[in-house]
Amino acid sequence: MESGEIPRIPVFADSPMAIKAVEVFLKHEEECSDETCRLIRQYGSPLHWPGFTFASTSGEPKKMTANQFPSIIITSCRMATGGRILHHLAQRLPDPKNTVIFIGFQAPGTRGFTIKSGASEVRIFSDTVPIRAQIAMLEQFSDHADTPELLEWLRTFVNQPEVTYLVHGEPAAASLLRDAIKKELGWNVQVAEWMGKAIL
């Protein structure tokens, strides 16, 4: 909006936990990146930007859902398995004028995976909701640590675990992470399988 790439439209942030996280970050600006500090100095606290509404009460999401004007709604996804996002999806998915953008990984078997995989409909609140909105993904913005970050964290362990199970992520990526941990740390690492037996 500041650069003029998109028009100025209302932005709603519908995630009480995200609001609390922003408040914590603002108390510890010494931990922010140079770019983040520059943006805060230039524009002030993101909790008070003009045109931005942070939904901290349960009634505010209803106002967002009722809004029929162009806007941006940012909410926690949880792979669309629960939470406030379900109200927004139920309202917005049937309309081809809308775009739903998933940020990050959507695990197979979740509602988020179903939506992003090109399904024509999805079940929300026991209703069948048609998917006519445009669906897009920006998976490079996943908030999960990558392999070097995970290895850096694992190196801080005082005691090596007997077995480490990888329980999240695509099978191919989990296998690569398993191999990296084995190679770098010499740990016994296994990719967990559905209904698999623990190997001790």
Side-chain angles (χ1 to χ4, degrees):
M1 290 182 197
E2 290 298 318
S3 65
E5 293 181 65
I6 62 172
R8 290 193 179 276
I9 58 175
V11 178
F12 300 98
D14 187 15
S15 173
M17 187 166 56
I19 295 167
K20 292 293 183 188
V22 170
E23 291 171 351
V24 171
F25 274 99
L26 291 172
K27 289 179 183 174
H28 300 280
E29 289 186 33
E30 72 278 3
E31 298 292 334
C32 293
S33 67
D34 292 341
E35 174 69 5
T36 302
C37 287
R38 184 189 68 76
L39 289 170
I40 293 172
R41 282 194 303 272
Q42 184 174 357
Y43 299 110
S45 165
L47 296 176
H48 304 292
W49 287 347
F52 280 66
T53 300
F54 289 83
S56 53
T57 66
S58 58
E60 287 171 314
K62 293 176 182 175
K63 294 179 188 174
M64 296 179 206
T65 303
N67 173 34
Q68 297 299 315
F69 298 100
S71 60
I72 296 170
I73 298 173
I74 303 169
T75 186
S76 300
C77 179
R78 291 180 13 190
M79 301 190 194
T81 56
R84 293 181 175 188
I85 190 171
L86 297 181
H87 298 279
H88 298 298
L89 289 173
Q91 178 78 17
R92 302 279 184 314
L93 282 174
D95 190 340
K97 293 188 303 233
N98 293 321
T99 300
V100 175
I101 304 174
F102 286 101
I103 309 295
F105 177 72
Q106 302 298 311
T110 64
R111 191 177 284 111
F113 184 86
T114 298
I115 295 169
K116 81 167 215 171
S117 297
S120 61
E121 59 187 28
V122 67
R123 296 285 290 174
I124 300 177
F125 302 130
S126 301
D127 293 324
T128 300
V129 177
I131 301 174
R132 299 188 190 103
Q134 299 175 65
I135 308 298
M137 281 72 65
L138 295 174
E139 295 183 352
Q140 66 269 33
F141 288 109
S142 175
D143 58 351
H144 297 105
D146 58 17
T147 297
E149 291 171 314
L150 287 170
L151 288 170
E152 181 181 350
W153 174 63
L154 293 174
R155 285 189 181 99
T156 67
F157 284 35
V158 176
N159 299 312
Q160 175 180 322
E162 280 186 44
V163 185
T164 301
Y165 293 98
L166 304 180
V167 298
H168 187 70
E170 296 283 359
S175 295
L176 289 173
L177 178 58
R178 175 199 60 209
D179 296 345
I181 296 171
K182 284 183 176 181
K183 179 181 176 186
E184 296 290 325
L185 304 176
W187 289 14
N188 178 11
V189 183
Q190 298 177 31
V191 177
E193 294 183 10
W194 175 248
M195 301 299 286
K197 294 181 179 178
I199 302 170
L200 299 175

